[in-house]
Amino acid sequence: MSVSVLGIRHHGPGSARSLRDELERLKPDIVLIEGPPEADSLVELAEEPDLEPPVALLAHVPGEPSKAAFWPFAVFSPEWQAIRYAVEVGVPVRFCDLPAVHSLAAGRDEPEEAGVPAVRSDPIGTLAHAAGYDDPERWWEDVVEHRGDTPFQVIAEAMAAVREGHVADEYESRREAFMRRTIRRAVKDGFERVAVVCGAWHVPALAGPSREGEAWGAGLPTVKADDALLKGLPKVKVEMTWVPWTYGRLAAWSGYGAGVTSPGWYHHLFVSPDRPVERWLTAAAGVLRDEDLPVSSAHVIEAVRLAQSLAVLRGRPLAGLEEATEAVRAVLCEGDDLPVELIQRRMVVGDRFGHVPDATPMVPLQRHLREEQRRLKLKPEALDREHDLDLRKPLDLERSRLLHRLRLLGIGWGTPQESRSKGTFRESWTLAWRPEFDIDLIEASAWGTTVPAAATARVRDLADGARPTGSATPQGASGQTAAGPGSGMPGGGPGAASAGVSLAGLTGLVERCLLADLPDALPYVLDSLSARAALDSDVTHLMAALPAMVRAQRYGDVRGTPATGLAAIVDALLTRICVGLGGAVTGLDDDAARDLLRHIDGVQAAVALLDGGTGEETPQARWLSTLRGVSGRSDVHGLIEGRLTRILLDAGDLDSGQVGPRMSRAMSAGHPPARAAAWIEGFLSGGGLLLVHDARLLALVDEWLTGLAPETFVDVLPLLRRTFGAFAAPERRSIGSRVRSLATGTTSGAEGAAQLDDERAAAAVRTVLMILGKTEGQ
């Protein structure tokens, strides 16, 4: 009977290759691997060709998504190579670390790097310092990764020396006690050749002193001592599965992947043991060429020479990533850091995304999403990918609905972007899959077994949580919701609180229901909205709610989604806004006036989208009539009065002849200069071109401004700078030109007429007439 303890570095390609060779030499009849024993039943899935690394074991506590842990594996991870060896030769595999039922109960949910918990100094760093290296990563690469084989016995002796005098903490001691217990069980089960794959740090605690002729276990803690350490450990219920992983996440992971900042490089070292630097630089040249950057074969040859020369100068056995990157920057990129960043993102980190087979244990919601991704041809990818959707196409419409439903469940696979098209039939999304979304899906499975059902239950819970006490549930509804509390705003998970959804939040939820095509949830939200709006006397709340409702009504038409009842709610909201606005505009300070102005602009934009009614009964006529009645009052804040005047002018309800006297009154000596400046800010917030085209209004502003006393001018200057600073540069130049013409008594139009060349203009006139399909005689 023999027990071989092989110390490795997690995610080390040199360790992985040497471990595979050592296992083939030892030919063990069982392989024990550092990892959670709950995953023993999942090892057989490694035989499936669809289990493609990078993947991770996910352990989670049902109902407590915050208690979860990942154990990631890449193709260059020694543990993964040990699993692959075992399943290929048909020997059993067992995981030997402390079970997740205990580690998650204790709150220790991050596996360690190289067997080195974060509470302890890095033993690799200690050895590197002893060897004269200031960089532990470089030392490990030179001594292990760039060698043809890993000296397992030497590493074990080095770790034994580093551990001398070290006192393990309680958690570490329990982990190593459980590892020894697993080894003893394997020996008791009759296995003759036991191979143990673990972080190099643990080797002395598992192999014991290496004295020739002694059986395994001599010099190690006794069974009784280990049993005492493991007695009475807290436990929780744990479920485990395989999930896809990414190299980007592996590089960022703070536990098991600490220090693996270059998974793409490690992958390359593992799959290309022959001439890795030459192959790396050739691939880098290909990436740059794909971006239309000029890189020739001569560049690659010179880059290889530079990388090798740097390695020789630094006394390294092989050029590493640092040398290769310097060669890329100096030769391939000619000193430009921007393409180097592209190489870093595409190659050094990499965009690999793993895959798990259909036989992998999943909650029904995960499986349904997987089927939807296939049906809609939306492949999860690690890197951000832009998608422009045309909602007139059935496939794109279904894709949009899926992404909106997932966002309601708090799964941000897709992020909406500003559409490049101005049409309402277009949507732009950025899609990027993150491994943590699998935990979110497990959490969201409390709401349903399919994406539409879960999203519907989630929205119902939000709506029921927002409904005032005593309000009725919509007819035909059972009144029951999915288990678990809701969220304060749409998009939270089952663990968030549902109380306190604002009126604007409810109207936003209506809009999202329509975008996600959830007709079964919409009545719940509309009922809650009606009940909440009827009891809400704050006009600003109603004004904040109206734009989303109007957009929802519009999307209901564009997407073909029935939205019965929206028009009545929109009409009721607008009516209450018109009635209550008069009282809301009085007694406002500057901050309150600015906040109300934002709501007024929102309602103005929303009303412009509404149809219905005739004459003075149209929504636009009712809204303008309300603004007309408010704008002439003396108790209205200058910012509000100026903005309302501008809205009425732009709508044609006032003409420039009526606006002039209003502006004169606002800027008269009877009003403080600060109020006059606020009036101008409100009036010009719709854009400054009005002053370019209306000389009378510009003259009024100029006359008021030039008539201010110096100290008063200093007081109002910040307001004026904010107003005119918001204009585009061409607008400011045009206003300046018009002001200059006022001083000289001329107009830009007169100046332009004096300089007009009729003969040169004739050609342009003919071209315009041709475009319009007319001749000069017409």
Side-chain angles (χ1 to χ4, degrees):
M1 189 277 298
S2 65
V3 176
S4 301
V5 183
L6 307 176
I8 52 90
R9 186 190 187 209
H10 301 306
H11 311 311
S15 290
R17 190 180 301 110
S18 298
L19 175 66
R20 185 69 180 250
D21 294 341
E22 185 69 4
L23 291 174
E24 290 176 354
R25 186 187 70 82
L26 293 172
K27 293 182 171 52
D29 50 10
I30 187 172
V31 178
L32 306 181
I33 301 174
E34 182 183 333
E38 292 90 344
D40 287 352
S41 60
L42 299 175
V43 170
E44 61 185 21
L45 289 174
E47 299 180 30
E48 298 280 345
D50 287 343
L51 187 62
E52 302 173 3
V55 291
L57 288 168
L58 164 62
H60 65 95
V61 178
E64 297 185 61
S66 61
K67 291 187 176 182
F70 293 96
W71 286 261
F73 300 90
V75 69
F76 53 80
S77 301
E79 299 91 337
W80 177 257
Q81 290 302 317
I83 293 172
R84 290 298 305 162
Y85 168 82
V87 299
E88 287 172 10
V89 301
V91 300
V93 175
R94 294 178 185 174
F95 288 98
C96 61
D97 205 346
L98 190 68
V101 296
H102 300 310
S103 61
L104 291 182
R108 303 297 291 265
D109 57 354
E110 285 192 0
E112 62 189 59
E113 162 59 17
V116 186
V119 298
R120 184 173 58 243
S121 61
D122 183 6
I124 304 296
T126 302
L127 294 173
H129 181 72
Y133 281 75
D134 58 0
D135 184 357
E137 294 297 320
R138 176 178 292 186
W139 176 83
W140 183 267
E141 283 195 359
D142 288 351
V143 175
V144 178
E145 304 302 341
H146 293 166
R147 289 173 54 96
D149 62 317
T150 298
F152 289 105
Q153 184 59 35
V154 174
I155 291 176
E157 293 173 0
M159 288 299 167
V162 173
R163 285 182 65 125
E164 285 185 7
H166 168 72
V167 179
D169 63 28
E170 188 176 42
Y171 180 71
E172 178 189 342
S173 299
R174 286 172 172 171
R175 292 184 61 210
E176 293 175 342
F178 194 88
M179 293 180 192
R180 291 189 291 268
R181 173 186 283 182
T182 307
I183 296 173
R184 294 187 184 105
R185 185 178 298 121
V187 172
K188 184 178 180 181
D189 289 344
F191 293 102
E192 294 293 329
R193 299 180 304 281
V194 180
V196 182
V197 179
C198 64
W201 174 262
H202 299 299
V203 172
L206 304 184
S210 56
R211 300 187 181 91
E212 190 173 349
E214 284 187 338
W216 177 85
L220 294 177
T222 63
V223 174
K224 183 177 180 181
D226 286 345
D227 288 345
L229 273 174
L230 297 172
K231 184 178 180 181
L233 294 181
K235 296 177 64 175
V236 290
K237 182 182 178 181
V238 167
E239 294 179 358
M240 182 159 283
T241 187
W242 289 105
V243 295
W245 205 250
T246 69
Y247 276 0
R249 197 69 185 95
L250 187 65
W253 194 243
S254 60
Y256 205 65
V260 188
T261 57
S262 51
W265 168 253
Y266 275 13
H267 179 98
H268 174 77
L269 288 180
F270 182 77
V271 301
S272 303
D274 177 45
R275 307 183 75 175
V277 176
E278 291 87 340
R279 297 179 187 276
W280 177 264
L281 293 173
T282 301
V287 170
L288 296 175
R289 289 179 189 134
D290 289 341
E291 298 297 325
D292 295 327
L293 297 175
V295 180
S296 66
S297 299
H299 282 89
V300 177
I301 294 171
E302 187 59 33
V304 171
R305 288 174 179 167
L306 177 58
Q308 293 173 341
S309 299
L310 288 171
V312 172
L313 289 172
R314 294 167 179 173
R316 305 195 67 181
L318 181 71
L321 177 60
E322 184 176 350
E323 288 74 25
T325 301
E326 291 181 21
V328 167
R329 176 181 289 106
V331 181
L332 302 188
C333 301
E334 299 180 348
D336 189 352
D337 282 336
L338 189 59
V340 177
E341 293 177 7
L342 176 66
I343 299 296
Q344 171 74 21
R345 186 172 63 255
R346 295 269 186 90
M347 293 182 61
V348 177
V349 175
D351 57 356
R352 288 185 178 271
F353 187 85
H355 186 271
V356 298
D358 291 338
T360 304
M362 300 179 189
V363 297
L365 184 61
Q366 285 176 293
R367 199 169 297 281
H368 180 259
L369 176 58
R370 189 184 178 97
E371 294 168 356
E372 289 292 279
Q373 289 169 337
R374 289 174 180 167
R375 182 177 69 87
L376 301 177
K377 301 177 182 178
L378 280 177
K379 182 181 178 182
E381 295 178 285
L383 291 182
D384 292 356
R385 184 173 294 277
E386 302 292 332
H387 287 266
D388 290 321
L389 304 182
D390 185 345
L391 303 182
R392 294 168 295 185
K393 298 178 180 179
L395 179 62
D396 283 356
L397 181 59
E398 285 296 313
R399 288 173 172 175
S400 171
R401 289 169 175 169
L402 174 65
L403 296 173
H404 281 293
R405 290 166 181 169
L406 290 174
R407 284 177 61 79
L408 280 166
L409 293 172
I411 300 166
W413 178 25
T415 303
Q417 304 295 333
E418 189 71 27
S419 178
R420 301 181 184 92
S421 171
K422 298 298 183 181
T424 57
F425 290 98
R426 295 279 183 180
E427 277 186 353
S428 294
W429 293 81
T430 298
L431 270 59
W433 187 264
R434 304 286 180 259
E436 300 90 301
F437 292 159
D438 284 290
I439 293 181
D440 296 333
L441 283 167
I442 292 170
E443 179 186 4
S445 65
W447 301 113
T449 58
T450 66
V451 176
T456 297
R458 176 79 183 110
V459 170
R460 285 182 176 182
D461 183 78
L462 287 168
D464 286 342
R467 184 177 293 113
T469 304
S471 61
T473 300
Q475 290 189 352
S478 63
Q480 298 178 346
T481 60
S487 165
M489 284 296 293
S498 68
V501 180
S502 66
L503 186 61
L506 275 174
T507 58
L509 190 57
V510 171
E511 183 179 10
R512 297 178 72 179
C513 279
L514 292 170
L515 294 171
D517 188 25
L518 300 176
D520 292 339
L522 192 58
Y524 287 79
V525 186
L526 292 178
D527 181 78
S528 295
L529 180 63
S530 298
R532 186 68 171 267
L535 299 178
D536 200 326
S537 58
D538 192 326
V539 175
T540 59
H541 291 173
L542 302 177
M543 297 175 78
L546 183 67
M549 287 297 295
V550 173
R551 287 195 304 269
Q553 188 176 358
R554 183 185 186 191
Y555 280 125
D557 296 333
V558 171
R559 291 169 170 262
T561 307
T564 305
L566 283 180
I569 295 177
V570 167
D571 184 73
L573 283 176
L574 181 59
T575 299
R576 294 187 58 197
I577 290 170
C578 291
V579 171
L581 184 62
V585 297
T586 59
L588 300 179
D589 60 17
D590 292 344
D591 291 336
R594 201 167 299 281
D595 184 62
L596 181 61
L597 182 62
R598 179 174 55 84
H599 290 305
I600 290 174
D601 285 340
V603 174
Q604 170 66 17
V607 168
L609 301 176
L610 291 175
D611 298 320
T614 58
E616 296 182 358
E617 296 300 319
T618 63
Q620 292 84 355
R622 292 159 54 198
W623 172 242
L624 292 176
S625 175
T626 301
L627 299 186
R628 193 184 312 117
V630 171
S631 64
R633 288 169 34 182
S634 60
D635 59 344
V636 177
H637 192 281
L639 182 71
I640 301 296
E641 183 185 354
R643 180 62 184 139
L644 297 186
T645 303
R646 178 62 181 271
I647 291 175
L648 294 170
L649 174 64
D650 291 343
D653 198 77
L654 295 176
D655 57 35
S656 59
Q658 296 171 297
V659 170
R662 290 191 177 211
M663 181 179 285
S664 297
R665 287 196 302 270
M667 295 186 295
S668 65
H671 292 294
R675 187 187 188 282
W679 195 98
I680 292 176
E681 180 182 0
F683 182 76
L684 296 180
S685 62
L689 286 177
L690 182 65
L691 296 182
V692 176
H693 299 297
D694 195 319
R696 182 185 177 192
L697 297 182
L698 179 62
L700 287 172
V701 175
D702 181 62
E703 181 182 354
W704 168 75
L705 190 58
T706 56
L708 292 175
E711 61 276 9
T712 305
F713 177 79
V714 172
D715 291 339
V716 301
L717 182 59
L719 292 175
L720 295 173
R721 284 178 61 90
R722 182 169 59 196
T723 301
F724 287 89
F727 300 158
E731 290 185 6
R732 293 199 299 269
R733 284 196 297 269
S734 298
I735 293 173
S737 176
R738 295 286 291 177
V739 171
R740 186 168 57 250
S741 68
L742 288 175
T744 59
T746 62
T747 65
S748 58
E751 293 172 357
Q755 299 174 3
L756 183 63
D757 188 331
D758 292 336
E759 187 174 334
R760 295 180 62 189
V765 171
R766 285 194 297 270
T767 302
V768 173
L769 291 174
M770 191 187 330
I771 293 173
L772 297 176
K774 297 182 178 181
T775 63
E776 293 189 37
Q778 291 181 305

